[in-house]
Amino acid sequence: MQFDSAVQMCQALTSSVGKLEDALAYVDTETRRQLRMRQGGGTLLYDAVARACDEVMKMQRAEKL
């Protein structure tokens, strides 16, 4: 999950190291200047955690069906 100015799923839950490394190549980090220009300056950490939990629970429910 990327969660700087927006929450974005970069890679679904996986045990594949290769898929995780590939996803990390696309993570984009804002510069300090961009972060200062944004009001509030915080990240969306809690939103990212909530979304990740929702995604994991969807997968758990699908496996039970």
Side-chain angles (χ1 to χ4, degrees):
M1 299 294 281
Q2 183 173 341
F3 54 88
D4 51 1
S5 59
V7 176
Q8 179 180 355
M9 169 99 46
C10 297
Q11 172 59 52
L13 192 61
T14 182
S15 60
S16 170
V17 174
K19 286 182 179 181
L20 294 172
E21 287 175 345
D22 289 345
L24 282 174
Y26 293 101
V27 172
D28 183 32
T29 305
E30 293 182 335
T31 65
R32 288 181 189 248
R33 183 172 184 234
Q34 289 171 319
L35 289 171
R36 274 190 236 118
M37 290 174 63
R38 225 177 352 115
Q39 297 294 331
T43 64
L44 299 171
L45 174 63
Y46 294 118
D47 293 332
V49 170
R51 184 167 170 195
C53 291
D54 288 343
E55 293 294 324
V56 169
M57 293 308 295
K58 282 181 195 174
M59 290 172 43
Q60 292 291 324
R61 281 186 231 127
E63 289 177 4
K64 289 182 180 181
L65 296 177

